[in-house]
Structures are given as structure tokens and as C-alpha cells.
Amino acid sequence: MTSTTPVASWDDLVAAALLGTERRTPPVAPLPGQDAPSALLDAAALSTVRRRAGLRPAPARPGPGRAPEDPRPMLPVAARGRLATLLADRSAPGRGGPRSAPDLAELLPQWLVLANHYGYRVPDALLPALLDAARARTDLRPEALTLGGPRALWLARLNPDWKFALRGAAGRAPAPVPEPSGTAAAPAGEQRLWEEGLFAERVSLLAAARHRDPAAGLALLSGTWSTERAEDRLMFLDSLRDDLSPSDEPFLERALSDRSRNVRATAAELLSALPGSALAARMAERSRACVSLTTDEPTTERRTTDQPTTDEPTTERRTTDQPTTERQITDEPTSDRPLTDRPSAARPLADRPTGERPTGERPTGEGPTGEGPGEGPTGGARITVRPPEECDSGMQRDGIVPKPPSGRGERSWWLGQLVEATPLDRWSEWFGGRAPTEIVTLPVADGWRADLHAAWCRAAVRQRSAEWCRALLGTPAVAPAHAGEAAPAAWRDPAKLLSALPARERAEWVAEFVASHGLSDAFRLLGVCAVPWAEPLGRAVVDALDIARDAGSYPWSFSGVMGLAERCLDPAQAGRLEVLTAIPDETEGAAPGAGGYWAEAFQRLVRTLRLRATMRAELEPT
């Protein structure tokens, strides 16, 4: 006799388990002496066995193909053990240990860079842990995928958790593509990989082809350009940046008419980095109509701001009978100006015509000609600015964004974009052959100095002009500006300007800045210096840390700089730092226990530097 007891469906069992047996009666009857939750669990176990027993075998899927060969040399034995330790430490963030022990997770990026510098490949057994690390930390992906090579991509296809590897990382090819070894077969193989390969493989192929033969790489991209997705077109276009040349101009000009706004903007940016391009010439022509050098005396005509304007925030309007609520910009020489961003409230009125000043007082320290204190005679020369009246279709095609950010006037926004895209050598040509150091000290009429110099800063970085970056940076001995202060140079970004200077000069500039102002304002500047820090930068940072310790405060406010020092100081500095690892005598007025905390911080710094030296030695070829 068969049982007629109905079998509860799996969905009903799950619903009862989710809601709870007190809210929903289980679809099964409890046995004598059994409560409802136990009956529900027994029924779920029985249903699971029943479903598994009745499962029909599915057709076997084909196994994965053979992993590709990686001809690079294997890591040395000691380095393999070091990588295993670094990856294991990453997966155990809650481990205990002394506070003076090195942070291995922060050393993993540097280890990967060193391993790739020597051209090693990772052992196959460590590939899963390496991909897991790259999945958890996006900053590791470019170097981790380069070290993993073609086998990392092969393995990533088999695990959805590693699908990030199939899309590349931050625009960088995950693994270098070797030079073609054949003659007739190599181009056909490249073409097939370009048409059928994964995105990461295609980015890598394009980068290698461009590096070997820019014209051939561009032809590869041109052949499939119209069929690519917008996000892929943007990534491919950005990959042209490293080997950009005048021969790329026709392709980039066509990209100015692309359907994607981001693609058009990137094409315009690349064209503006080619001083001889037609776009740069068009931008220069527009800029020349807006910015000029004149020796005329400034007009005394003043404008009242009772009438609302269409190009300024309401909070920026003022009349002569109202107190000034915004801080003014003083036309001091660039070399004597602080180095932080200017508050947005100090921007000039965006629709101010040439020759007119804002109502009220002149900017602080400004004389009748618009010169600031210390500028000296300029022969009566001054820069006058008349921003564009409209953003026409031609400007928009050339990459000018018509709508400004919130709080920014339209015409000043357009002006900044025009000047930023103008070849910098044109300004010397238009301004009587003056050098950049002379041009940046010229007075600018009507409060337009900050906007003009900000655009020059962006142009200097984009065009990698070391001469203009030096002129705009000025001397590092100037006191830094802070947010909320009346800082005439607050719109500058010294870290970006420094990035265009040679590594040695960059380190010397930042070392002088640290020696003059300490470490409080130096964090971003230290971040753009080459690793390891060259002298005298390393010595300046160590001296500044020693001074901070002697001041008697706790080291926590310098934790960011201390972390940078652990990763960036030359390991040779470890011996010099050894004397600072001892606990100093507590001085009057010092924070309680500060000396001990400083000693721990320096002990960790010394141990980290010595570990970095050991890691480098382990990676050196024997």
C-alpha cells in the first residue's frame, strides 16, 4: 500500500523557513514529540535527497583548452616565498602583531612593480591568490595582470569572480604582447586577435603595435572603429596618448564628430597636445581674440552691479554701498604666491568687458595699472581679457563644453578652455618674445589673473612644458595658502605642475618646500616624486620628521607622510634613522607618552626599509 501523503514543494518549504514557523505553518505535519521547526528541517533534508536522487545526468561539457605558454623566466625561489607571504598577509587583515611591524599589504604594490621590472612570471600555484588580490584591490590590477601574463587571462575565463581581468585595468594592457616573430603570418595573426580577442588582449595588442609602428597600430584601430562600442572607443582612443604623433591628427579630427561626447572630448584633448594641429591653431586664433597685451593706461570707468547679470552667481553681485564679502586676488608675482586652490567665491564677474573694473575697492595691494606689490615696472604693459560672447557650434565641435559647473560663469568657463588648448609658445610670440617667467608676472586687468593663470597651469601640464611649469610654480620658499585665506595663487595645483618636471628637479623642489614649511602641506607633493626619493628629498623628510618628534606632539597627525616614507624612502636611509628608534627623554610640555609612540613609528619605518631592501635583493637575477 502506497502512502497518499502529499509531498511539500521545495518553494513552500523555503517560504516557511524564511518567514518562520510562528508566522507560517510548515507544509508538513510534525511527528509525535517533534516541534514544527524540526519537522520543517527534516522535510527540507528529505526533499533535497529526493531531488538529487532524481536528477538526470547532464551531457558532459568540454574541458578548458590547454593553458598558453608563458616564456618569461620564473621568479627566484626566495621571491616566490615572499610573494606567497605577501598574498597570505593580504587575506588575513585581522591578524595581531606589534605596531612596529611592517605593513605587508602596503608593500605588495611595490613588490609587483619590481617583479615586472625584471620580467618575471608568477608560479602557476599562486595565480588564484594573485587574481583574488587584484579583485579586492583595483590599484593592484595593472601590475598583477602583467605579472600573471597570458595564463592569468586563461584562468580568469574559468571563474566569474575574475572577469575584471578580461576587461583590462585602468587603460593599461594587462600583459605585454611579444613582438611578431614571423613575416607573413604575424600580421594575419594580429588581425585575427584584434577582431576576435578579448578586450584586454585587444588593448594590449594595440599598445604593442603602436609602440612598434604607430601607423600600423592606428590602421588596426581605424579598421574596426565604426563598429566599436562607445566605451571601447574611448579606451582605445585614450591608449593613443603614449605614442601620440602628428600623423594621428586626421584620425583624431574625424573623432571630433563621434556620437559619444566623451570620445569627442578625448579627441579634442589629444589634438590640443599636438601644437601643430589644426585644432590647436583654431583654439589659438580664438584665444588671441580674447587675450591681448596692451600698454594703454587702464580706464577709470567703473561699472555698477545693481543690474543682474546672466553670467554670475547671485552671491557674487555687489554694489558700491555694500561691504565686500569676498576676498580679492592680489596681482603679486607668481613666484611669490602660495600654492593651493583659490576659493570659488573669489572668481571675477564672468561677463565683465575689457577695461572695466568691478565696483568698489581695487584688489588688495593693486595699483592703478593693476600691478601688485613687488612686481616692479613692466613698461606699462598689461594683459587685458575679453572672454568669448558665445560658445558656437565650431567651438563645441572642438571640445569646448558649453555648460559650466555650478557657480561658474559661462564666459569665464569658455575662456579657460580656449586658453588651456592654445599652444603655449604662441603667448611668447604674441607678447613680444617674452619668456614664460616674464609673462606670468605681467599684471592682468580687471581681476582676470586667476582664471588666466589657472588655464595656463592646465595647458602646461597637458603640453608637458617644463619651462611654463617652472614659471607658474615659482619658488618653493613661499608660504603655502590654506582654504579660506585670501590666497592670490590658491587656484594653482603644484602637484600637477611638478609632474611635468624631470624627476631630479621635482625632488629638489619638494625638498626645499619641506625644508621651508615642514610636512603639513607636503603630502600631495611627495606623492608625485619618483620612488625611491632622491636626495636631498629623503634627507629633508627625515629631518622634518625629527623636528616634529622634538616638538612633543603625537605622531598620528603625520601618519600619512610616515606611510609614504615607508614606501618611498631610499632603503639606504635605514641606518641614519636607527638613532630615532630609541625612546627620547620626555620634555616639559610634551604630550604624555609621545616619545614612545614616535619610537614605535620610527622602528616600523626602519624595519620596513630593511624589508624593502631584502625584497629587492631577492628579485635580482643571479
Side-chain angles (χ1 to χ4, degrees), residues 480 482 513 517-524 557-558 561:
H482 298 276
F513 185 93
H517 313 297
L519 297 169
S520 299
D521 297 282
F523 183 78
R524 290 195 66 236
S557 57
F558 299 94
V561 174

Side-chain angles (χ1 to χ4, degrees), residues 303-565:
R303 122 180 190 196
T304 61
T305 54
D306 299 338
Q307 301 293 330
T309 66
T310 60
D311 195 47
E312 56 175 306
T314 305
T315 56
E316 292 185 6
R317 301 175 191 144
R318 67 173 185 269
T319 58
T320 54
D321 58 351
Q322 291 177 331
T324 302
T325 59
E326 62 182 50
R327 289 187 166 92
Q328 297 293 327
I329 303 300
T330 59
D331 280 337
E332 298 175 356
T334 305
S335 60
D336 295 329
R337 304 265 305 266
L339 303 173
T340 57
D341 287 335
R342 186 185 81 174
S344 60
R347 295 192 177 280
L349 302 181
D351 62 348
R352 185 182 307 136
T354 305
E356 292 184 346
R357 290 188 180 279
T359 314
E361 298 297 326
R362 292 190 183 93
T364 306
E366 188 179 88
T369 64
E371 292 181 5
E375 285 191 276
T378 58
R382 64 190 176 102
I383 298 174
T384 56
V385 176
R386 183 184 294 274
E389 297 285 346
E390 62 175 348
C391 184
D392 56 36
S393 59
M395 291 169 62
Q396 294 183 43
R397 182 182 182 274
D398 285 346
I400 301 300
V401 179
K403 185 175 180 180
S406 176
R408 181 81 181 269
E410 284 185 334
R411 297 176 67 196
S412 65
W413 171 244
W414 302 333
L415 173 73
Q417 295 178 80
L418 291 178
V419 173
E420 179 181 353
T422 298
L424 288 165
D425 57 3
R426 297 294 183 89
W427 299 106
S428 294
E429 175 187 333
W430 297 334
F431 289 178
R434 288 176 169 85
T437 51
E438 298 174 282
I439 293 175
V440 298
T441 58
L442 288 170
V444 183
D446 303 326
W448 284 101
R449 180 187 180 96
D451 288 273
L452 182 60
H453 280 225
W456 279 339
C457 286
R458 296 191 298 272
V461 174
R462 177 184 293 186
Q463 299 174 35
R464 313 305 293 174
S465 173
E467 186 180 15
W468 272 87
C469 285
R470 291 188 195 100
L472 290 161
L473 274 170
T475 172
V478 178
H482 298 276
E485 294 182 0
W491 34 264
R492 284 183 297 171
D493 190 339
K496 290 184 178 179
L497 292 173
L498 283 168
S499 67
L501 298 181
R504 179 73 185 183
E505 184 178 353
R506 207 183 311 161
E508 291 173 349
W509 197 97
V510 178
E512 187 177 344
F513 185 93
V514 170
S516 301
H517 313 297
L519 297 169
S520 299
D521 297 282
F523 183 78
R524 290 195 66 236
L525 306 184
L526 292 169
V528 300
C529 293
V531 178
W533 290 335
E535 294 301 333
L537 178 56
R539 184 167 53 253
V541 171
V542 172
D543 289 343
L545 288 172
D546 191 12
I547 292 172
R549 183 192 70 155
D550 291 342
S553 61
Y554 290 114
W556 303 313
S557 57
F558 299 94
S559 59
V561 174
M562 191 68 80
L564 274 179

Side-chain angles (χ1 to χ4, degrees), residues 138 140-143 145 164-174 199-200 203 235:
T138 57
L140 298 178
R141 290 180 183 178
E143 299 296 339
L145 294 178
F164 67 87
L166 307 181
R167 294 291 302 170
R172 175 181 169 169
F199 179 78
V203 171
M235 293 285 287

Side-chain angles (χ1 to χ4, degrees), residues 9 80 144 297 362 371 439 488 586 589 604:
S9 71
R80 293 178 218 171
E297 289 298 320
R362 292 190 183 93
E371 292 181 5
I439 293 175
E586 194 165 308
R604 171 169 161 161

Side-chain angles (χ1 to χ4, degrees), residues 96-368:
R99 286 178 292 187
S100 59
D103 186 351
L104 299 184
E106 291 302 318
L107 294 181
L108 181 56
Q110 194 169 121
W111 188 96
L112 293 173
V113 171
L114 282 173
N116 286 326
H117 172 73
Y118 290 112
Y120 292 123
R121 69 180 178 93
V122 68
D124 295 339
L126 292 178
L127 276 173
L130 183 64
L131 287 170
D132 281 339
R135 179 195 178 201
R137 290 180 57 179
T138 57
D139 62 310
L140 298 178
R141 290 180 183 178
E143 299 296 339
L145 294 178
T146 300
L147 184 66
R151 292 198 165 196
L153 293 180
W154 175 87
L155 197 59
R157 295 188 187 100
L158 307 177
N159 187 344
D161 290 343
W162 300 330
K163 62 184 178 181
F164 67 87
L166 307 181
R167 294 291 302 170
R172 175 181 169 169
V177 173
E179 298 283 337
S181 55
T183 54
E190 284 191 355
Q191 186 66 36
R192 180 176 179 180
L193 180 61
W194 175 252
E195 293 175 354
E196 301 177 4
L198 297 169
F199 179 78
E201 294 172 327
R202 301 179 71 208
V203 171
S204 181
L205 173 63
L206 179 61
R210 285 278 297 176
H211 185 68
R212 182 178 67 251
D213 184 350
L218 187 63
L220 202 64
L221 178 58
S222 300
T224 60
W225 179 256
S226 61
T227 62
E228 303 288 355
R229 299 185 305 170
E231 55 267 35
D232 292 348
R233 294 199 304 273
L234 180 62
M235 293 285 287
F236 289 139
L237 195 63
D238 193 66
S239 70
L240 304 182
R241 195 180 303 272
D242 290 340
D243 297 287
L244 192 65
S245 68
S247 62
D248 299 325
E249 182 180 356
F251 176 80
L252 294 174
E253 276 285 345
R254 292 194 297 273
L256 289 177
S257 303
D258 194 88
R259 301 183 301 275
S260 167
R261 182 183 64 181
N262 291 333
V263 171
R264 295 195 301 269
T266 301
E269 181 184 348
L270 294 176
L271 283 168
S272 66
L274 296 172
S277 66
L279 179 138
R282 295 193 295 270
M283 292 297 198
E285 183 180 355
R286 295 170 180 133
S287 292
R288 190 172 189 181
C290 297
V291 183
S292 59
L293 186 68
T294 179
T295 56
D296 297 337
E297 289 298 320
T299 179
T300 57
E301 178 184 358
R302 296 227 168 90
R303 122 180 190 196
T304 61
T305 54
D306 299 338
Q307 301 293 330
T309 66
T310 60
D311 195 47
E312 56 175 306
T314 305
T315 56
E316 292 185 6
R317 301 175 191 144
R318 67 173 185 269
T319 58
T320 54
D321 58 351
Q322 291 177 331
T324 302
T325 59
E326 62 182 50
R327 289 187 166 92
Q328 297 293 327
I329 303 300
T330 59
D331 280 337
E332 298 175 356
T334 305
S335 60
D336 295 329
R337 304 265 305 266
L339 303 173
T340 57
D341 287 335
R342 186 185 81 174
S344 60
R347 295 192 177 280
L349 302 181
D351 62 348
R352 185 182 307 136
T354 305
E356 292 184 346
R357 290 188 180 279
T359 314
E361 298 297 326
R362 292 190 183 93
T364 306
E366 188 179 88

